[in-house]
Amino acid sequence: MDNYQLREIAKALYTVNRHAKTAPEPKHLYYIKKETINRLLRERKAKKIGLHFSAHPKLSNQHSTLLVKVDEYYFHIPPTKEDFQQLEHLGALDENYRNPQCKMSLSQAKKVIYDFIDWKPKTSPKVTSKRSSYYTPSSLGKMEWPPRKSHR
């Protein structure tokens, strides 16, 4: 499996998922989690377990999430229409179950996942501002007020 063992990828997913839950901008973290799990499912290195009711209903509407097992870790991702037809619904989420703890930094976890899914950040063209040769920086706010007495 590329450069990483399945256990290392599962730990990286666990770390990314844990950080995504508290991140101010979690969209990218959830995206790379979903991409990684979908690739593992395609390669038959992850297993779909069943459907769970979400612990956080959207707009008071109950919805389901897909429970996936990667190594000895469990994750939830959005289900497809086929998942509803093919998988058993397991009911409410079991809050007593916890994934095994692991120690991995977010930067290390992202590196493992980026390498696995072959993800490259979109590079935006650098915008360089060309200043006029007549530009003089303002001294506004750099002077002291009231002026100090100069010592002679």
Side-chain angles (χ1 to χ4, degrees):
M1 172 183 297
D2 293 325
N3 299 326
Y4 296 100
Q5 296 295 330
L6 185 60
R7 168 77 42 99
E8 202 65 13
I9 293 169
K11 287 180 180 181
L13 276 170
Y14 172 80
T15 302
V16 164
N17 194 45
R18 195 180 70 229
H19 280 83
K21 291 176 182 185
T22 58
E25 297 285 330
K27 196 172 189 177
H28 175 69
L29 295 176
Y30 282 126
Y31 170 78
I32 62 174
K33 169 193 164 190
K34 186 176 165 194
E35 286 298 306
T36 304
I37 290 173
N38 284 334
R39 179 163 174 190
L40 288 168
L41 286 167
R42 281 194 305 275
E43 294 177 2
R44 300 191 189 286
K45 295 188 171 109
K47 184 180 179 200
K48 293 179 180 183
I49 304 298
L51 299 162
H52 267 156
F53 285 125
S54 173
H56 307 286
K58 291 181 186 174
L59 304 171
S60 299
N61 291 330
Q62 184 63 61
H63 68 281
S64 297
T65 57
L66 174 64
L67 181 65
V68 178
K69 183 176 183 182
V70 179
D71 195 45
E72 55 186 38
Y73 291 83
Y74 291 89
F75 303 99
H76 287 101
I77 60 171
T80 63
K81 287 181 182 175
E82 293 80 33
D83 293 332
F84 282 102
Q85 295 161 356
Q86 298 167 356
L87 296 169
E88 177 187 357
H89 205 293
L90 306 171
L93 221 146
D94 183 3
E95 294 292 338
N96 296 323
Y97 180 79
R98 293 283 179 248
N99 279 325
Q101 294 293 313
C102 80
K103 298 274 189 247
M104 181 184 283
S105 70
L106 180 59
S107 58
Q108 175 64 24
K110 286 163 89 175
K111 182 184 180 310
V112 169
I113 288 176
Y114 289 161
D115 286 351
F116 180 69
I117 63 174
D118 198 29
W119 185 85
K120 305 277 187 285
K122 292 184 178 94
T123 53
S124 56
K126 302 252 181 200
V127 178
T128 55
S129 59
K130 181 131 170 81
R131 288 193 172 156
S132 164
S133 57
Y134 296 105
Y135 173 76
T136 307
S138 170
S139 61
L140 193 63
K142 294 183 181 169
M143 298 170 43
E144 290 183 19
W145 192 260
R148 282 193 278 171
K149 294 179 185 168
S150 59
H151 301 284
R152 292 186 195 190

